[in-house]
């Protein structure tokens, strides 16, 4: 499958955001031969950068979230919606 010019730009932006994250990790004293976890709060990205990265990765992977459903590679599944007051995560 050929990448379109838009996809190439999106991949380049993903790489740029990951490079920014890694540089911030190193500046914070991280080990150069290791990588950070990438979890929110441990990814060294701002909230805006993280949101952009997630959107780009979903686009490139063909994953869409519509209401309470995830659509990916021809499959659809529901995401459980929890009320913060009444239910706790398992």
């Amino acid at each position: 499958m050929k990448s379109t010019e838009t996809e190439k730009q999106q991949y380049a932006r993903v790489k740029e955001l990951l490079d920014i994250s890694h540089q911030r990790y190193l500046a914070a004293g991280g080990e150069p031969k290791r990588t950070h976890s990438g979890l929110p709060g441990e990814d060294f990205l701002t909230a805006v950068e993280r949101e952009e990265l997630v959107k780009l990765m979903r686009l490139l992977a063909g994953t869409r979230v519509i209401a309470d459903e995830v659509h990916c590679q021809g499959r659809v599944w529901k995401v459980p919606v929890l009320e913060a007051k009444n239910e706790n995560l398992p």
Side-chain angles (χ1 to χ4, degrees), residues 67-69 78-84 87:
D68 64 344
E69 294 180 336
K78 288 213 175 266
V79 176
V81 180
L82 303 176
E83 291 185 35
E87 297 183 37

Side-chain angles (χ1 to χ4, degrees), residues 1 4 9 12 16 18 40 45 47 51 67 70-71 74 78:
M1 174 153 100
T4 65
Q9 291 171 353
E16 182 180 339
L18 293 174
L45 293 173
E51 184 177 332
V70 177
H71 298 249
K78 288 213 175 266

